[in-house]
Amino acid sequence: MPVISAPEDFHVDDLYVDLRPALGASLYLKCEGFNFAGSIKLKAARAMIADAEERGALTADSVIVESSSGNLGVALSMIAADKGYRFLCVTDTRCNLTTRRLMEAMGAEVHILTEPHPETGFLGARLDLVRELCASDSRYLWLNQHANPYNWLAHHRTTAPAIASHFPDLDVLFVGAGTTGTLMGCARYFKESGRPVTVVAVDSVGSVTFGGPPGLRMIPGLGAGVRPQLLDEAYVDDVVHVPEVAAIRVAHRLAAAGYLFGGSTGTVIAGARGWLAEHRPDGRATAVAIAPDLGERYLDSVYQTNWVSDIYGAHALDRDAVRPR
């Protein structure tokens, strides 16, 4: 077992779940939630902070500020606590209560927006506030996960090579699209390697990332109300849009089989299953999907029956839709 001296030094990068017993799907799930930040966002947070330190942009007087729906905020809170930096997370009411408390427990300040921008939603409102803060005080340093190349570079250097090493015969890779850092890092890696891997982006219905109409989205971590600056669609082979209710049903089916994952993982798996059924119906493709986090932070939302029925309707958790088969 490793011995570490900083919390960001620990991350399990080689754990995969074969989903055939749980879902009957010929799909492997790369689990990214086993680190002290609890999500894949640790990789981007670590890379962006290291770059800012190397450039001299991040000093002892700096106040790191970032817009986050939750997971990046936790990762930055953890690293800031370890390194002695101040951190302000700008989030909104969709951020899980547990996630907010985690950030505050590690010393971060959390600013919660309650009103979305009339055109660009909560993300647009969060970004506007971050810009205002930076303009008001030079101590604020915005890492800007939505445009920072070290967001995708982190996955180009770690996530994608790990998958390539474990699955030399990989046919299809499914990646959720939020800031598109994970998506672009993996897609660029496989395109540049010359390997014939089909990279499929999985997005939420209601997200504008790939040109779809904006709509209500309640599950944090996937989708966007503003097109991500990092996105280059030339590297993406296909896109799947998943309704949130389908994501929740998949998450509950996995939980019924003993695997508690987050809502964005439910989205990615739902999209992957539908795509594979249409494009690889013989089940022979070697396919991998990335699970960004685990499910404990979603016990008050995705796994709370009243929350689900209030938002998606009383039949959202119909037994036939969520029970294992």
Side-chain angles (χ1 to χ4, degrees):
M1 295 294 291
V3 176
I4 63 171
S5 56
E8 62 268 28
D9 288 344
F10 174 73
H11 182 77
V12 175
D13 207 32
D14 58 355
L15 178 61
Y16 297 83
V17 174
D18 183 348
L19 291 177
R20 282 173 291 189
L23 295 179
S26 182
L27 181 66
Y28 297 98
L29 188 65
K30 188 179 195 303
C31 302
E32 289 282 351
F34 292 97
N35 57 60
F36 286 108
S39 81
I40 197 171
K41 289 291 188 177
L42 174 60
K43 295 177 177 179
R46 189 175 187 179
M48 291 189 297
I49 285 182
D51 168 65
E53 289 176 331
E54 291 171 7
R55 291 186 289 108
L58 182 55
T59 68
D61 294 327
S62 298
V63 181
I64 301 168
V65 61
E66 187 58 76
S67 159
S68 171
S69 61
N71 280 338
L72 182 72
V74 172
L76 289 173
S77 297
M78 186 189 78
I79 298 175
D82 173 54
K83 292 177 172 286
Y85 297 124
R86 291 178 57 194
F87 172 54
L88 168 61
C89 181
V90 177
T91 187
D92 59 65
T93 53
R94 298 170 301 174
C95 180
N96 298 310
L97 178 60
T98 301
T99 300
R100 298 179 217 164
R101 288 177 173 171
L102 279 169
M103 289 188 278
E104 290 170 343
M106 290 184 282
E109 179 183 350
V110 182
H111 188 109
I112 303 168
L113 290 177
T114 58
E115 295 294 330
H117 186 282
E119 296 179 358
T120 56
F122 276 115
L123 177 56
R126 284 170 14 206
L127 295 178
D128 286 346
L129 178 57
V130 171
R131 294 187 185 100
E132 291 173 12
L133 290 170
C134 291
S136 69
D137 192 329
S138 60
R139 291 176 300 171
Y140 282 113
L141 174 66
W142 183 19
L143 297 174
N144 194 359
Q145 63 166 327
H146 306 281
N148 193 320
Y150 281 88
N151 186 348
W152 69 261
L153 278 167
H155 302 287
H156 189 275
R157 296 170 177 173
T158 60
T159 310
I163 295 171
S165 175
H166 201 90
F167 294 93
D169 58 346
L170 181 66
D171 296 307
V172 191
L173 176 65
F174 298 93
V175 189
T179 64
T180 69
T182 306
L183 173 64
M184 293 313 303
C186 292
R188 286 174 180 269
Y189 176 88
F190 283 108
K191 290 295 182 292
E192 292 167 3
S193 70
R195 294 177 54 171
V197 175
T198 299
V199 177
V200 180
V202 182
D203 200 8
S204 298
V205 170
S207 168
V208 305
T209 298
F210 294 95
L216 178 68
R217 291 177 296 104
M218 296 301 296
I219 300 175
L222 223 67
V226 178
R227 179 182 168 88
Q229 292 175 255
L230 295 177
L231 178 62
D232 185 342
E233 292 187 57
Y235 290 94
V236 179
D237 297 301
D238 206 351
V239 181
V240 178
H241 286 88
V242 176
E244 287 191 332
V245 68
I248 287 172
R249 287 173 174 172
V250 168
H252 277 255
R253 282 193 62 188
L254 282 170
Y259 295 106
L260 196 72
F261 286 102
S264 53
T265 296
T267 306
V268 174
I269 295 174
R273 291 177 72 202
W275 192 95
L276 288 169
E278 179 180 354
H279 298 279
R280 302 289 192 276
D282 60 7
R284 295 180 180 177
T286 300
V288 172
I290 297 177
D293 60 6
L294 302 177
E296 290 91 340
R297 296 174 190 175
Y298 303 84
L299 293 176
D300 293 326
S301 54
V302 169
Y303 294 104
Q304 218 289 328
T305 303
N306 291 338
W307 185 91
V308 173
S309 60
D310 287 346
I311 294 171
Y312 305 102
H315 301 292
L317 294 179
D318 180 87
R319 289 184 180 181
D320 289 336
V322 301
R323 68 183 180 187
R325 296 172 182 171

